[in-house]
Short mmCIF file of all heavy atoms in Angstrom, two decimals:
data_model
loop_
_atom_site.label_atom_id
_atom_site.label_comp_id
_atom_site.label_asym_id
_atom_site.label_seq_id
_atom_site.Cartn_x
_atom_site.Cartn_y
_atom_site.Cartn_z
N TRP A 810 0.83 -1.20 0.00
CA TRP A 810 0.00 0.00 0.00
C TRP A 810 0.87 1.25 0.00
O TRP A 810 1.91 1.30 0.64
CB TRP A 810 -0.91 0.03 1.23
CG TRP A 810 -1.97 -1.03 1.23
CD1 TRP A 810 -1.90 -2.26 1.80
CD2 TRP A 810 -3.25 -0.94 0.61
NE1 TRP A 810 -3.06 -2.96 1.59
CE2 TRP A 810 -3.92 -2.19 0.86
CE3 TRP A 810 -3.92 0.03 -0.12
CZ2 TRP A 810 -5.20 -2.45 0.41
CZ3 TRP A 810 -5.20 -0.22 -0.58
CH2 TRP A 810 -5.83 -1.44 -0.32
N THR A 811 0.38 2.28 -0.73
CA THR A 811 1.01 3.59 -0.71
C THR A 811 -0.06 4.64 -0.42
O THR A 811 -1.12 4.64 -1.05
CB THR A 811 1.69 3.92 -2.05
OG1 THR A 811 2.70 2.96 -2.32
CG2 THR A 811 2.31 5.31 -2.03
N THR A 812 0.20 5.51 0.52
CA THR A 812 -0.69 6.64 0.80
C THR A 812 0.01 7.91 0.39
O THR A 812 1.25 7.98 0.38
CB THR A 812 -1.06 6.71 2.29
OG1 THR A 812 0.15 6.78 3.07
CG2 THR A 812 -1.85 5.48 2.71
N GLY A 813 -0.76 8.92 0.06
CA GLY A 813 -0.14 10.16 -0.38
C GLY A 813 -1.10 11.32 -0.40
O GLY A 813 -2.32 11.16 -0.30
N MET A 814 -0.52 12.51 -0.54
CA MET A 814 -1.28 13.75 -0.66
C MET A 814 -0.57 14.65 -1.66
O MET A 814 0.64 14.54 -1.85
CB MET A 814 -1.40 14.46 0.69
CG MET A 814 -2.08 13.65 1.78
SD MET A 814 -2.41 14.61 3.28
CE MET A 814 -3.81 15.59 2.71
N ARG A 815 -1.35 15.50 -2.29
CA ARG A 815 -0.76 16.51 -3.17
C ARG A 815 -1.55 17.80 -3.04
O ARG A 815 -2.77 17.77 -2.80
CB ARG A 815 -0.70 16.05 -4.63
CG ARG A 815 -2.04 15.75 -5.26
CD ARG A 815 -1.86 15.14 -6.65
NE ARG A 815 -3.16 14.88 -7.28
CZ ARG A 815 -3.77 15.72 -8.11
NH1 ARG A 815 -3.19 16.87 -8.43
NH2 ARG A 815 -4.93 15.40 -8.65
N ALA A 816 -0.86 18.90 -3.19
CA ALA A 816 -1.50 20.21 -3.05
C ALA A 816 -1.04 21.10 -4.19
O ALA A 816 0.16 21.17 -4.49
CB ALA A 816 -1.13 20.84 -1.70
N LYS A 817 -1.99 21.78 -4.82
CA LYS A 817 -1.69 22.72 -5.90
C LYS A 817 -1.90 24.13 -5.38
O LYS A 817 -3.00 24.67 -5.40
CB LYS A 817 -2.59 22.45 -7.11
CG LYS A 817 -2.38 21.08 -7.74
CD LYS A 817 -3.06 20.97 -9.09
CE LYS A 817 -2.36 21.82 -10.13
NZ LYS A 817 -2.86 21.59 -11.50
N PHE A 818 -0.82 24.73 -4.84
CA PHE A 818 -0.91 26.06 -4.27
C PHE A 818 -1.12 27.12 -5.35
O PHE A 818 -1.85 28.10 -5.15
CB PHE A 818 0.37 26.38 -3.49
CG PHE A 818 0.63 25.42 -2.36
CD1 PHE A 818 1.69 24.53 -2.42
CD2 PHE A 818 -0.18 25.40 -1.25
CE1 PHE A 818 1.94 23.66 -1.37
CE2 PHE A 818 0.05 24.53 -0.20
CZ PHE A 818 1.11 23.65 -0.26
N LEU A 819 -0.47 26.92 -6.48
CA LEU A 819 -0.52 27.85 -7.60
C LEU A 819 -0.76 27.04 -8.87
O LEU A 819 -0.51 25.83 -8.89
CB LEU A 819 0.79 28.64 -7.71
CG LEU A 819 1.13 29.55 -6.51
CD1 LEU A 819 2.57 30.05 -6.63
CD2 LEU A 819 0.16 30.72 -6.41
N PRO A 820 -1.23 27.67 -9.95
CA PRO A 820 -1.50 26.92 -11.18
C PRO A 820 -0.31 26.11 -11.68
O PRO A 820 -0.48 25.04 -12.26
CB PRO A 820 -1.90 28.01 -12.17
CG PRO A 820 -2.46 29.11 -11.33
CD PRO A 820 -1.65 29.08 -10.07
N ARG A 821 0.92 26.59 -11.47
CA ARG A 821 2.11 25.90 -11.99
C ARG A 821 2.89 25.14 -10.92
O ARG A 821 3.86 24.47 -11.23
CB ARG A 821 3.04 26.91 -12.68
CG ARG A 821 2.48 27.49 -13.97
CD ARG A 821 3.46 28.46 -14.59
NE ARG A 821 2.98 28.96 -15.88
CZ ARG A 821 3.27 28.40 -17.04
NH1 ARG A 821 4.06 27.33 -17.08
NH2 ARG A 821 2.81 28.89 -18.16
N VAL A 822 2.50 25.27 -9.66
CA VAL A 822 3.28 24.69 -8.56
C VAL A 822 2.46 23.61 -7.86
O VAL A 822 1.28 23.80 -7.57
CB VAL A 822 3.68 25.77 -7.54
CG1 VAL A 822 4.48 25.14 -6.40
CG2 VAL A 822 4.50 26.86 -8.22
N GLU A 823 3.11 22.46 -7.61
CA GLU A 823 2.44 21.36 -6.90
C GLU A 823 3.40 20.74 -5.90
O GLU A 823 4.58 20.51 -6.20
CB GLU A 823 1.94 20.30 -7.89
CG GLU A 823 1.21 19.14 -7.22
CD GLU A 823 0.58 18.19 -8.22
OE1 GLU A 823 -0.28 18.65 -9.00
OE2 GLU A 823 0.97 17.01 -8.23
N LEU A 824 2.89 20.44 -4.71
CA LEU A 824 3.64 19.77 -3.66
C LEU A 824 3.00 18.41 -3.42
O LEU A 824 1.78 18.30 -3.30
CB LEU A 824 3.62 20.59 -2.38
CG LEU A 824 4.32 19.98 -1.15
CD1 LEU A 824 5.82 19.87 -1.38
CD2 LEU A 824 4.02 20.80 0.09
N ARG A 825 3.82 17.34 -3.37
CA ARG A 825 3.28 16.00 -3.13
C ARG A 825 4.09 15.30 -2.05
O ARG A 825 5.28 15.59 -1.83
CB ARG A 825 3.29 15.17 -4.42
CG ARG A 825 4.67 14.79 -4.91
CD ARG A 825 4.65 13.84 -6.10
NE ARG A 825 6.00 13.52 -6.52
CZ ARG A 825 6.73 12.53 -6.02
NH1 ARG A 825 6.21 11.75 -5.07
NH2 ARG A 825 7.95 12.30 -6.44
N TRP A 826 3.42 14.34 -1.38
CA TRP A 826 4.06 13.50 -0.38
C TRP A 826 3.48 12.10 -0.49
O TRP A 826 2.25 11.94 -0.64
CB TRP A 826 3.83 14.05 1.02
CG TRP A 826 4.29 13.13 2.11
CD1 TRP A 826 5.55 13.02 2.63
CD2 TRP A 826 3.48 12.17 2.82
NE1 TRP A 826 5.59 12.05 3.60
CE2 TRP A 826 4.33 11.51 3.75
CE3 TRP A 826 2.14 11.80 2.76
CZ2 TRP A 826 3.88 10.52 4.60
CZ3 TRP A 826 1.68 10.80 3.61
CH2 TRP A 826 2.54 10.18 4.52
N GLU A 827 4.35 11.07 -0.45
CA GLU A 827 3.91 9.68 -0.54
C GLU A 827 4.63 8.85 0.51
O GLU A 827 5.82 9.08 0.80
CB GLU A 827 4.18 9.10 -1.93
CG GLU A 827 3.39 9.74 -3.04
CD GLU A 827 3.67 9.12 -4.40
OE1 GLU A 827 4.56 8.24 -4.46
OE2 GLU A 827 3.02 9.51 -5.38
N HIS A 828 3.93 7.86 1.04
CA HIS A 828 4.53 6.94 2.01
C HIS A 828 4.18 5.51 1.61
O HIS A 828 3.01 5.17 1.45
CB HIS A 828 4.01 7.22 3.42
CG HIS A 828 4.53 6.25 4.45
ND1 HIS A 828 5.83 6.32 4.94
CD2 HIS A 828 3.95 5.17 5.04
CE1 HIS A 828 6.01 5.35 5.81
NE2 HIS A 828 4.90 4.62 5.89
N ARG A 829 5.20 4.71 1.41
CA ARG A 829 5.03 3.31 1.04
C ARG A 829 5.21 2.45 2.29
O ARG A 829 6.22 2.57 3.00
CB ARG A 829 6.04 2.90 -0.03
CG ARG A 829 5.71 1.61 -0.75
CD ARG A 829 6.67 1.39 -1.91
NE ARG A 829 6.31 0.22 -2.68
CZ ARG A 829 5.52 0.23 -3.76
NH1 ARG A 829 4.99 1.38 -4.14
NH2 ARG A 829 5.26 -0.88 -4.41
N ARG A 830 4.22 1.60 2.56
CA ARG A 830 4.22 0.84 3.81
C ARG A 830 5.43 -0.07 3.91
O ARG A 830 6.07 -0.16 4.96
CB ARG A 830 2.93 0.03 3.93
CG ARG A 830 2.75 -0.60 5.31
CD ARG A 830 1.47 -1.38 5.39
NE ARG A 830 1.48 -2.53 4.48
CZ ARG A 830 0.52 -3.45 4.44
NH1 ARG A 830 -0.54 -3.32 5.23
NH2 ARG A 830 0.60 -4.46 3.60
N ALA A 831 5.77 -0.76 2.83
CA ALA A 831 6.93 -1.67 2.85
C ALA A 831 8.20 -0.86 3.04
O ALA A 831 8.54 0.00 2.23
CB ALA A 831 7.01 -2.46 1.55
N GLY A 832 8.92 -1.14 4.11
CA GLY A 832 10.15 -0.43 4.39
C GLY A 832 9.96 0.94 5.00
O GLY A 832 10.93 1.63 5.31
N GLY A 833 8.72 1.39 5.14
CA GLY A 833 8.46 2.69 5.73
C GLY A 833 9.07 3.84 4.96
O GLY A 833 9.49 4.85 5.53
N ARG A 834 9.14 3.72 3.62
CA ARG A 834 9.82 4.72 2.80
C ARG A 834 8.87 5.86 2.43
O ARG A 834 7.75 5.62 1.96
CB ARG A 834 10.35 4.07 1.53
CG ARG A 834 11.07 5.01 0.57
CD ARG A 834 11.65 4.23 -0.59
NE ARG A 834 12.25 5.12 -1.57
CZ ARG A 834 11.58 5.64 -2.59
NH1 ARG A 834 10.30 5.33 -2.76
NH2 ARG A 834 12.17 6.43 -3.46
N SER A 835 9.30 7.08 2.64
CA SER A 835 8.52 8.27 2.29
C SER A 835 9.25 9.09 1.24
O SER A 835 10.49 9.06 1.16
CB SER A 835 8.25 9.14 3.52
OG SER A 835 7.45 8.46 4.47
N GLU A 836 8.51 9.82 0.45
CA GLU A 836 9.09 10.65 -0.61
C GLU A 836 8.26 11.91 -0.76
O GLU A 836 7.03 11.87 -0.74
CB GLU A 836 9.12 9.87 -1.93
CG GLU A 836 9.73 10.62 -3.10
CD GLU A 836 9.74 9.78 -4.37
OE1 GLU A 836 10.53 8.80 -4.42
OE2 GLU A 836 8.97 10.10 -5.31
N ALA A 837 8.93 13.04 -0.92
CA ALA A 837 8.26 14.33 -1.11
C ALA A 837 8.81 14.99 -2.37
O ALA A 837 9.98 14.80 -2.73
CB ALA A 837 8.46 15.24 0.10
N GLY A 838 7.96 15.77 -3.04
CA GLY A 838 8.38 16.43 -4.26
C GLY A 838 7.71 17.78 -4.41
O GLY A 838 6.53 17.95 -4.07
N LEU A 839 8.46 18.74 -4.92
CA LEU A 839 7.94 20.07 -5.23
C LEU A 839 8.19 20.31 -6.71
O LEU A 839 9.34 20.35 -7.15
CB LEU A 839 8.64 21.15 -4.40
CG LEU A 839 8.22 22.59 -4.67
CD1 LEU A 839 6.75 22.82 -4.32
CD2 LEU A 839 9.12 23.57 -3.90
N SER A 840 7.11 20.45 -7.49
CA SER A 840 7.26 20.55 -8.94
C SER A 840 6.79 21.91 -9.44
O SER A 840 5.94 22.57 -8.83
CB SER A 840 6.46 19.44 -9.64
OG SER A 840 5.08 19.60 -9.44
N TYR A 841 7.37 22.30 -10.57
CA TYR A 841 7.00 23.55 -11.25
C TYR A 841 6.81 23.25 -12.73
O TYR A 841 7.66 22.61 -13.35
CB TYR A 841 8.09 24.61 -11.07
CG TYR A 841 7.77 25.92 -11.76
CD1 TYR A 841 6.89 26.82 -11.19
CD2 TYR A 841 8.34 26.24 -12.99
CE1 TYR A 841 6.57 28.02 -11.82
CE2 TYR A 841 8.04 27.44 -13.63
CZ TYR A 841 7.15 28.32 -13.03
OH TYR A 841 6.85 29.49 -13.67
N ARG A 842 5.68 23.69 -13.27
CA ARG A 842 5.39 23.44 -14.68
C ARG A 842 6.04 24.51 -15.54
O ARG A 842 5.65 25.68 -15.51
CB ARG A 842 3.88 23.41 -14.90
CG ARG A 842 3.48 23.06 -16.34
CD ARG A 842 1.98 22.87 -16.47
NE ARG A 842 1.53 21.67 -15.77
CZ ARG A 842 1.61 20.45 -16.25
NH1 ARG A 842 2.17 20.24 -17.44
NH2 ARG A 842 1.17 19.43 -15.56
N LEU A 843 7.06 24.11 -16.29
CA LEU A 843 7.74 25.04 -17.19
C LEU A 843 6.92 25.30 -18.44
O LEU A 843 6.98 26.38 -19.03
CB LEU A 843 9.11 24.48 -17.58
CG LEU A 843 10.09 24.23 -16.44
CD1 LEU A 843 11.30 23.47 -16.96
CD2 LEU A 843 10.50 25.54 -15.79
N HIS A 844 6.17 24.28 -18.86
CA HIS A 844 5.43 24.30 -20.12
C HIS A 844 4.31 23.29 -20.00
O HIS A 844 4.31 22.46 -19.09
CB HIS A 844 6.39 23.95 -21.28
CG HIS A 844 5.78 24.07 -22.64
ND1 HIS A 844 5.12 23.03 -23.26
CD2 HIS A 844 5.71 25.12 -23.50
CE1 HIS A 844 4.68 23.43 -24.44
NE2 HIS A 844 5.03 24.69 -24.61
N ASP A 845 3.33 23.37 -20.88
CA ASP A 845 2.24 22.40 -20.83
C ASP A 845 2.74 20.97 -20.97
O ASP A 845 2.07 20.03 -20.55
CB ASP A 845 1.21 22.70 -21.93
CG ASP A 845 0.34 23.88 -21.58
OD1 ASP A 845 -0.07 23.98 -20.40
OD2 ASP A 845 0.05 24.71 -22.45
N PHE A 846 3.91 20.79 -21.57
CA PHE A 846 4.44 19.45 -21.79
C PHE A 846 5.61 19.09 -20.88
O PHE A 846 6.14 18.00 -20.98
CB PHE A 846 4.90 19.29 -23.25
CG PHE A 846 3.80 19.44 -24.25
CD1 PHE A 846 3.82 20.47 -25.17
CD2 PHE A 846 2.73 18.56 -24.26
CE1 PHE A 846 2.79 20.61 -26.10
CE2 PHE A 846 1.71 18.69 -25.18
CZ PHE A 846 1.74 19.72 -26.10
N LEU A 847 6.04 19.99 -20.01
CA LEU A 847 7.25 19.72 -19.22
C LEU A 847 7.15 20.32 -17.83
O LEU A 847 6.79 21.48 -17.65
CB LEU A 847 8.48 20.31 -19.94
CG LEU A 847 9.83 20.07 -19.25
CD1 LEU A 847 10.15 18.58 -19.19
CD2 LEU A 847 10.94 20.83 -19.98
N ARG A 848 7.48 19.47 -16.83
CA ARG A 848 7.58 19.90 -15.44
C ARG A 848 8.97 19.55 -14.90
O ARG A 848 9.60 18.60 -15.37
CB ARG A 848 6.53 19.21 -14.57
CG ARG A 848 5.11 19.66 -14.80
CD ARG A 848 4.15 18.87 -13.93
NE ARG A 848 3.99 17.50 -14.41
CZ ARG A 848 3.71 16.47 -13.62
NH1 ARG A 848 3.62 16.63 -12.29
NH2 ARG A 848 3.56 15.26 -14.13
N VAL A 849 9.41 20.29 -13.92
CA VAL A 849 10.65 19.97 -13.22
C VAL A 849 10.30 19.83 -11.74
O VAL A 849 9.53 20.62 -11.19
CB VAL A 849 11.74 21.05 -13.44
CG1 VAL A 849 11.28 22.41 -12.95
CG2 VAL A 849 13.04 20.65 -12.78
N GLU A 850 10.84 18.77 -11.09
CA GLU A 850 10.47 18.48 -9.72
C GLU A 850 11.72 18.23 -8.87
O GLU A 850 12.63 17.50 -9.29
CB GLU A 850 9.56 17.25 -9.66
CG GLU A 850 9.06 16.92 -8.25
CD GLU A 850 8.15 15.71 -8.23
OE1 GLU A 850 8.50 14.68 -8.85
OE2 GLU A 850 7.07 15.80 -7.59
N LEU A 851 11.75 18.85 -7.70
CA LEU A 851 12.77 18.57 -6.70
C LEU A 851 12.22 17.48 -5.79
O LEU A 851 11.17 17.66 -5.16
CB LEU A 851 13.10 19.82 -5.90
CG LEU A 851 13.72 20.99 -6.68
CD1 LEU A 851 13.87 22.21 -5.78
CD2 LEU A 851 15.07 20.58 -7.26
N VAL A 852 12.92 16.34 -5.72
CA VAL A 852 12.44 15.17 -4.97
C VAL A 852 13.38 14.90 -3.81
O VAL A 852 14.61 15.01 -3.93
CB VAL A 852 12.35 13.93 -5.89
CG1 VAL A 852 11.70 12.77 -5.14
CG2 VAL A 852 11.57 14.25 -7.16
N ARG A 853 12.78 14.49 -2.69
CA ARG A 853 13.57 14.16 -1.50
C ARG A 853 12.95 12.96 -0.80
O ARG A 853 11.73 12.90 -0.62
CB ARG A 853 13.59 15.36 -0.54
CG ARG A 853 14.38 15.12 0.75
CD ARG A 853 15.86 15.19 0.50
NE ARG A 853 16.63 14.67 1.64
CZ ARG A 853 17.95 14.67 1.71
NH1 ARG A 853 18.64 15.17 0.70
NH2 ARG A 853 18.57 14.16 2.75
N ASP A 854 13.80 11.98 -0.45
CA ASP A 854 13.35 10.90 0.42
C ASP A 854 14.22 10.89 1.68
O ASP A 854 14.96 11.85 1.93
CB ASP A 854 13.34 9.55 -0.31
CG ASP A 854 14.73 9.10 -0.75
OD1 ASP A 854 15.73 9.69 -0.28
OD2 ASP A 854 14.81 8.15 -1.55
N SER A 855 14.17 9.82 2.45
CA SER A 855 14.88 9.81 3.72
C SER A 855 16.40 9.77 3.57
O SER A 855 17.12 10.07 4.52
CB SER A 855 14.43 8.60 4.55
OG SER A 855 14.65 7.39 3.82
N SER A 856 16.89 9.42 2.37
CA SER A 856 18.33 9.26 2.21
C SER A 856 18.99 10.26 1.28
O SER A 856 20.18 10.55 1.41
CB SER A 856 18.65 7.84 1.71
OG SER A 856 18.02 7.60 0.45
N GLU A 857 18.26 10.82 0.32
CA GLU A 857 18.90 11.71 -0.65
C GLU A 857 17.86 12.57 -1.35
O GLU A 857 16.65 12.38 -1.22
CB GLU A 857 19.67 10.89 -1.69
CG GLU A 857 18.80 9.96 -2.52
CD GLU A 857 19.56 9.27 -3.63
OE1 GLU A 857 20.49 9.87 -4.18
OE2 GLU A 857 19.20 8.13 -3.96
#
């Protein structure tokens, strides 16, 4: 199982968080839409 949330603060900005039960691994990402076809996201988990 994976649980998660995402929030769209601005039309081009989205924040997400996910937690995978196996191994207790969590991951967060902050993305920005550069273009209708391209986004760039900064991702962080517990190790890197």
Side-chain angles (χ1 to χ4, degrees):
W810 292 93
T811 299
T812 57
M814 301 188 75
R815 61 187 181 95
K817 297 192 70 171
F818 300 111
L819 297 169
R821 291 180 176 269
V822 179
E823 181 173 300
L824 177 66
R825 69 173 180 88
W826 172 85
E827 295 181 356
H828 177 76
R829 196 173 184 92
R830 190 180 65 174
R834 179 175 176 270
S835 296
E836 181 179 290
L839 178 64
S840 66
Y841 180 78
R842 184 173 292 279
L843 299 171
H844 186 270
D845 284 319
F846 298 117
L847 182 63
R848 288 177 288 150
V849 60
E850 183 179 47
L851 296 174
V852 186
R853 179 76 193 183
D854 64 13
S855 57
S856 60
E857 63 174 327

